[in-house]
Amino acid sequence: MKKFVKALALSCAVVPLAQAALFLGNPAFAAEAAAPVAAAPVTEAKPALWAVKDADTTIYLFGTIHVLKPGLGWFDEAVKDAFDKSDELVLELVLPENPAEVAQKMMPLAIDQTGTPLSSLLSDEERAAYAAMLAKFGVAPQQFDMFKPWFVGVTLTTMPLPQLGYNPEEGVEKKLTAFAKSAGKPVSGLETVEEQLGYFDNLPQADQLSFLNGVVRDLDKMGPMLDTLVTQWSAGDPEGLAETMNESMKESPKLTEILLWNRNHRWAEQIEEKLEQPGTFFVAVGAGHLAGEKSVQDYLAERGLTAERIDY
């Protein structure tokens, strides 16, 4: 499941959403995330970029990382040029600016309406490991007992981020949204917040528990894992990203199908529809969707469309 956390970091914008909701309910986390960070030297990054074109439409495809450390210079050269030429920014979803709005959408799904305490669903061994992990963040298990396993699992993946130096405010979507607003470009989403949350909420309870227990088991390894992913992304290495994610796909075929392949198929259809509109679009989705088997590019190819890599 550790490897699946890699796929989650590259495929689903629900991670910063969960962090926003967590901060809203726990000011201590918000204060830690908002603590001043010393200016970091800028390191050049050259993430991968593709283009799909017809006679009167160009659609750029750009893979994102939802949380980053300060100091990566990725918005320049071909990426900035493509963005500047674009008439519209298209994201996985349009991120709400207000954490209260995030919580309003998330909490009705996250709370177990049956009233079954989450800790009662775990074995003695699982419960002990779960409690020990939460204790590292000063959280008692009872604080999460009202929630479904998927929500706690996703929330746990956000808890180490401040200590590791990762910040959703540095994430690519946040930055692109700010650039688009500054330039007066419209911003649209391929999905809604409710749709992304529903991917987790509709999982059978057994799969939710498997996800939660895997996160608990491997959360301490999250720092090196994220560093590897960001290094591969910065180097414009989708093949490396795909290789990093391969084991997780084998471990969690149902989650991979729901979070990656099915969405890639739908997005390829939406991208094909956009080709019917004259203009230029900058489509930015989690980098995991543009890497490996059954990527967005693969599904576009099935429709007779070629996504050409832009060298820069």
Side-chain angles (χ1 to χ4, degrees):
M1 190 62 69
K2 170 186 68 175
K3 283 82 175 183
F4 177 71
V5 176
K6 298 177 182 179
L8 181 64
L10 290 172
S11 67
C12 207
V14 77
V15 173
L17 289 177
Q19 189 177 42
L22 173 68
F23 289 168
L24 184 68
N26 192 326
F29 285 115
E32 186 171 5
V37 178
V42 175
T43 300
E44 182 180 0
K46 300 184 70 172
L49 179 70
W50 294 262
V52 183
K53 300 181 180 181
D54 65 9
D56 57 3
T57 307
T58 297
I59 298 177
Y60 294 104
L61 300 178
F62 183 59
T64 69
I65 300 286
H66 302 309
V67 293
L68 284 173
K69 295 178 180 179
L72 272 181
W74 56 267
F75 190 65
D76 53 20
E77 299 186 60
V79 175
K80 186 177 186 302
D81 182 60
F83 181 86
D84 289 344
K85 290 177 180 176
S86 297
D87 306 307
E88 180 178 339
L89 171 63
V90 183
L91 303 173
E92 288 184 35
L93 56 81
V94 179
L95 295 168
E97 294 182 6
N98 186 352
E101 184 181 344
V102 176
Q104 187 178 26
K105 295 175 183 291
M106 184 176 284
M107 288 303 105
L109 297 176
I111 294 173
D112 188 338
Q113 302 297 336
T114 70
T116 304
L118 172 57
S119 56
S120 71
L121 302 175
L122 304 172
S123 69
D124 291 343
E125 182 179 354
E126 291 167 347
R127 194 178 303 113
Y130 170 66
M133 181 59 70
L134 288 180
K136 294 182 179 182
F137 302 99
V139 178
Q142 292 80 2
Q143 291 179 251
F144 281 155
D145 257 352
M146 72 177 71
F147 295 114
K148 296 175 185 176
W150 73 262
F151 174 76
V152 180
V154 171
T155 300
L156 268 174
T157 67
T158 74
M159 286 182 167
L161 294 176
Q163 297 96 318
L164 295 171
Y166 284 93
N167 187 346
E169 295 301 317
E170 292 291 332
V172 174
E173 289 86 355
K174 281 277 190 179
K175 295 293 187 181
L176 288 176
T177 299
F179 297 145
K181 289 184 176 180
S182 177
K185 299 180 190 288
V187 181
S188 62
L190 297 169
E191 299 173 340
T192 65
V193 173
E194 291 85 353
E195 284 177 313
Q196 279 211 1
L197 295 174
Y199 299 139
F200 290 93
D201 193 52
N202 292 326
L203 287 171
Q205 187 180 84
D207 291 312
Q208 293 187 33
L209 288 168
S210 176
F211 170 61
L212 171 60
N213 288 323
V215 170
V216 168
R217 183 179 65 245
D218 293 309
L219 194 63
D220 285 337
K221 304 165 188 173
M222 188 173 183
M225 173 270 293
L226 280 175
D227 291 345
T228 297
L229 291 175
V230 172
T231 296
Q232 293 170 327
W233 175 78
S234 298
D237 182 12
E239 293 80 13
L241 287 173
E243 186 175 344
T244 300
M245 294 170 64
N246 276 344
E247 288 185 49
S248 69
M249 294 177 181
K250 295 175 183 177
E251 286 181 16
S252 312
K254 182 177 292 187
L255 289 168
T256 299
E257 183 178 5
I258 291 170
L259 291 185
L260 285 172
W261 295 342
N262 289 351
R263 297 167 73 203
N264 293 349
H265 184 274
R266 289 194 295 271
W267 293 353
E269 182 178 356
Q270 290 172 268
I271 290 167
E272 183 180 33
E273 290 172 356
K274 281 201 173 292
L275 283 171
E276 299 175 4
Q277 308 171 37
T280 304
F281 302 88
F282 193 92
V283 177
V285 298
H289 295 284
L290 304 179
E293 179 186 10
K294 298 183 181 179
S295 64
V296 170
Q297 298 95 312
D298 286 346
Y299 285 114
L300 286 171
E302 290 182 3
R303 297 171 177 274
L305 301 173
T306 300
E308 295 185 359
R309 176 80 180 263
I310 297 175
D311 293 323
Y312 69 101

